[in-house]
Amino acid sequence: MLDTKTRDVIKATIPVLETHGEQITKRFLESILPAVKQISHKHRGLGIQPEHYPIVGQFLLLAIKDVLGDAASDEIIQA
């Protein structure tokens, strides 16, 4: 469960994500593609678990920071 402050920060980013969401998604998919391909080829046999999810979050946050630059403050990235 997210605390109120974190939810407020995330909600405040919605207009920025509406404007830059497609650009972030393109960067995110390009950055993570090698890892996704590897996982997808082995997905059935590996039995993907929640502990595999952090790589997705890592590359998504990098894409957000890359597209938004300084507008992606530490507070936003932490939220």
Side-chain angles (χ1 to χ4, degrees):
M1 178 73 61
L2 299 176
D3 62 43
T4 302
K5 181 180 178 188
T6 299
R7 278 185 291 200
D8 290 344
V9 170
I10 292 170
K11 285 179 183 179
T13 67
I14 291 173
V16 174
L17 294 175
E18 287 175 338
T19 302
H20 298 286
E22 187 174 335
Q23 188 178 4
I24 290 169
T25 301
K26 286 179 181 177
R27 293 260 174 90
F28 170 62
L29 295 171
E30 290 169 2
S31 297
I32 198 171
L33 192 57
V36 170
K37 283 184 178 181
Q38 182 181 10
I39 290 171
S40 66
H41 289 287
K42 297 181 180 183
H43 184 82
R44 288 181 197 96
L46 291 175
I48 300 300
Q49 300 295 314
E51 58 266 21
H52 301 127
Y53 301 163
I55 193 169
V56 175
Q58 175 188 351
F59 282 100
L60 177 57
L61 292 175
L62 287 172
I64 290 170
K65 186 71 173 169
D66 187 43
V67 171
L68 300 181
D70 292 338
S73 67
D74 290 340
E75 182 180 40
I76 289 172
I77 295 299
Q78 289 302 316

